[in-house]
Amino acid sequence: MRIGYYVHHHGRGHATRAGVIGAELTRRGHVITYLGSGALPDGDQVALASDADEADAPFVDPDAGGRLHWAPLGGGYAERSAQIAAWVTQARPDVVVVDVSVEVSALVRLLGVPVVVVAQPGRRDDAPHALAFDLAAAVLAPWPARLVVAPHLERHRDKTVEVGGLSRFAGHAAGPNAAGGGSSACASPNSSESVASGPRADGSRDAGGCGVAADVSQSTAPGAGSGGAAIDAAGGPSLGARRGSDSDGAAVNVPEGLSAGMPRGAFSDATSRGAQEIPRVRGVLLVGGEGWDDAELPGAVERAVPQVHWRTPDADHPVEVLLATADVVVTHAGQNALADVAAFGVPAVVVPQERPFDEQADMARALDDAGIARGLTLGATADEVAAGIRELLAGGDERSTGRAWARWCVDGAVDRAADVIEAAARGGVADLAAGTDADDLEGAVRGSRHGIDDVARAGVAERGVREAGGAARGVEGGSGWPAATGAEAPALGDGTLQ
């Protein structure tokens, strides 16, 4: 199958997600081409001309009277559109994934190619977004079912599929609450089972509901944390280990190329009193390339919660190593950051940043309402962040342990996303979007990677089965399908084909 993947230029998040999905599609034998004017994943690429060149300013009627997001008269649109059309004509793709752009979605559909629109959270009930959803063969939402972050997509339920959080670390993250690789992290939406169990009698606990026990009974070596003793990763994949150390001198065995580190709570700082050590928890301050809206917030948080040893990812401290060893994280509400935090199962305070359509504000609220993380509101102060951190560290509920992140359905999400794209190319995702009844169909589906196809062949598909409240009911198949409906739509940007 030939697949095109349009990547919006704003930030690196879209490109990161495209790389995660594209790698799985490539593994399945499909040929992927990435198109965009910003950062693109490695592979076959088409570098598009900019449609926001300052030489074209002032932009005239950029929203076409409110019907589009970015189509200025006299702008650099013709060359860009011609490049896309030329590639479609030459490559003849079976489907194009658009992450994200209303205009590219419309152009590709006009060229006779089915489109998968990647959803974004926020209040996207405007006319341009409605156009993209109407034209899409499928709407792929990178969050779990039943999360209320895009109620306007209710009318597109017949083609909207939530697949769970898409993280580059899924299946590889190490740590006591990390999702396990290769198993289903998500119960079917109508399941009454808890998504995460408590500690086991043998000292291990279920790794975020993934069915893989991560060993948290391992204690650190004597003197670990300040004397340079090796501290092995708890849980995590067997990827070989490279020797590393944090800036405090503690040696860490880190799985080659990916993640792992010290068990949470194992960190301690040597003090001026010689051999005495004061245990301290580890914290991560995680923000995207645009930085915090309030540049003073990180410093204020560090001062407000001094008992936490805070770090921000950098070249010497990769995000995967910090998350693998963290007891708490303060993060923005971007989708990739949330998926990565979920992959490692770190208790989180989510501080939304100003973004178009209130996408981060709505996501933080939904996470808080669901009891997955401590979500704050726009403009949250350092004192409010500090209160959230203390609440998590005090314990008392699932989000304080990080196990609530199992409901983010990171494990298996990329496989489900690839299923959606393949289904859209074959003619639509109605069966995946409508879901099936878990009680009746669990046995029919189990063991099949494309369980819905088997169910349909068995003649027992029940399309359109709904629970009260409008959520589709679903069954968890062999690839971990959590059966979904009701999601969101594409994001805008600062001025690209949207």
Side-chain angles (χ1 to χ4, degrees), residues 92-165:
R92 303 183 66 84
D94 297 282
V95 64
V96 172
V97 183
V98 179
D99 184 4
V100 287
S101 166
V102 169
E103 289 73 28
V104 171
S105 297
L107 174 60
V108 171
R109 181 60 187 86
L110 282 169
L111 294 170
V113 179
V115 175
V116 175
V117 172
V118 178
Q120 296 278 95
R123 302 166 194 180
R124 301 171 190 273
D125 52 3
D126 56 280
H129 278 116
L131 173 63
F133 305 148
D134 287 341
L135 294 176
V139 179
L140 190 161
W143 54 77
R146 289 179 160 185
L147 194 74
V148 183
V149 290
H152 57 275
L153 277 185
E154 177 67 25
R155 74 185 189 92
H156 298 285
R157 281 198 176 278
D158 62 335
K159 55 184 167 185
T160 298
V161 187
E162 298 105 325
V163 300

Side-chain angles (χ1 to χ4, degrees), residues 52-236:
D53 194 326
E54 291 183 3
D56 297 325
F59 300 113
V60 178
D61 191 21
D63 64 357
R67 306 309 296 178
L68 298 171
H69 284 151
W70 187 253
L73 295 172
Y77 227 68
E79 181 181 356
R80 184 185 187 88
S81 299
Q83 285 179 286
I84 295 172
W87 178 80
V88 169
T89 302
Q90 183 274 325
R92 303 183 66 84
D94 297 282
V95 64
V96 172
V97 183
V98 179
D99 184 4
V100 287
S101 166
V102 169
E103 289 73 28
V104 171
S105 297
L107 174 60
V108 171
R109 181 60 187 86
L110 282 169
L111 294 170
V113 179
V115 175
V116 175
V117 172
V118 178
Q120 296 278 95
R123 302 166 194 180
R124 301 171 190 273
D125 52 3
D126 56 280
H129 278 116
L131 173 63
F133 305 148
D134 287 341
L135 294 176
V139 179
L140 190 161
W143 54 77
R146 289 179 160 185
L147 194 74
V148 183
V149 290
H152 57 275
L153 277 185
E154 177 67 25
R155 74 185 189 92
H156 298 285
R157 281 198 176 278
D158 62 335
K159 55 184 167 185
T160 298
V161 187
E162 298 105 325
V163 300
L166 292 161
S167 172
R168 56 201 155 149
F169 305 124
H172 300 293
N177 295 323
S183 62
S184 172
C186 231
S188 53
N190 60 341
S191 171
S192 61
E193 296 180 7
S194 171
V195 297
S197 62
R200 300 174 188 241
D202 63 0
S204 66
R205 65 171 168 245
D206 191 286
C210 301
V212 176
D215 182 8
V216 294
S217 61
Q218 176 179 335
S219 61
T220 59
S226 63
I231 303 174
D232 293 328

Side-chain angles (χ1 to χ4, degrees), residues 318-338:
V319 63
E320 62 268 29
V321 173
L322 296 187
L323 289 178
T325 63
D327 296 280
V328 66
V329 61
V330 175
T331 179
H332 62 110
Q335 292 177 73
N336 287 295
L338 294 176

Side-chain angles (χ1 to χ4, degrees), residues 131-419:
L131 173 63
F133 305 148
D134 287 341
L135 294 176
V139 179
L140 190 161
W143 54 77
R146 289 179 160 185
L147 194 74
V148 183
V149 290
H152 57 275
L153 277 185
E154 177 67 25
R155 74 185 189 92
H156 298 285
R157 281 198 176 278
D158 62 335
K159 55 184 167 185
T160 298
V161 187
E162 298 105 325
V163 300
L166 292 161
S167 172
R168 56 201 155 149
F169 305 124
H172 300 293
N177 295 323
S183 62
S184 172
C186 231
S188 53
N190 60 341
S191 171
S192 61
E193 296 180 7
S194 171
V195 297
S197 62
R200 300 174 188 241
D202 63 0
S204 66
R205 65 171 168 245
D206 191 286
C210 301
V212 176
D215 182 8
V216 294
S217 61
Q218 176 179 335
S219 61
T220 59
S226 63
I231 303 174
D232 293 328
S238 209
L239 299 175
R242 58 182 168 84
R243 194 67 166 173
S245 66
D246 66 14
S247 61
D248 308 285
V252 180
N253 285 333
V254 182
E256 186 62 46
L258 244 143
S259 59
M262 292 181 292
R264 296 201 180 109
F267 174 74
S268 60
D269 268 339
T271 71
S272 59
R273 286 170 287 181
Q276 183 179 2
E277 293 179 353
I278 301 175
R280 299 173 68 192
V281 295
R282 290 176 176 268
V284 179
L285 294 165
L286 192 61
V287 69
E290 297 174 69
W292 297 97
D293 291 345
D294 177 3
E296 304 302 317
L297 184 66
V301 169
E302 291 186 31
R303 291 189 295 273
V305 196
Q307 68 268 36
V308 177
H309 183 81
W310 293 103
R311 284 219 181 97
T312 299
D314 56 31
D316 294 325
H317 302 97
V319 63
E320 62 268 29
V321 173
L322 296 187
L323 289 178
T325 63
D327 296 280
V328 66
V329 61
V330 175
T331 179
H332 62 110
Q335 292 177 73
N336 287 295
L338 294 176
D340 289 349
V341 172
F344 287 91
V346 188
V349 176
V350 180
V351 184
Q353 306 297 288
E354 283 277 5
R355 294 296 183 270
F357 303 106
D358 288 333
E359 62 180 65
Q360 290 206 10
D362 284 2
M363 183 59 79
R365 172 195 49 75
L367 285 164
D368 194 69
D369 289 347
I372 293 174
R374 184 67 179 92
L376 304 181
T377 58
L378 283 173
T381 65
D383 286 344
E384 290 172 319
V385 178
I389 295 166
R390 295 189 189 103
E391 177 185 322
L392 293 178
L393 294 179
D397 59 15
E398 262 194 337
R399 65 183 171 187
S400 297
T401 66
R403 291 195 296 270
W405 279 116
R407 298 200 297 273
W408 207 245
C409 301
V410 168
D411 195 36
V414 68
D415 200 52
R416 294 188 289 270
D419 286 349

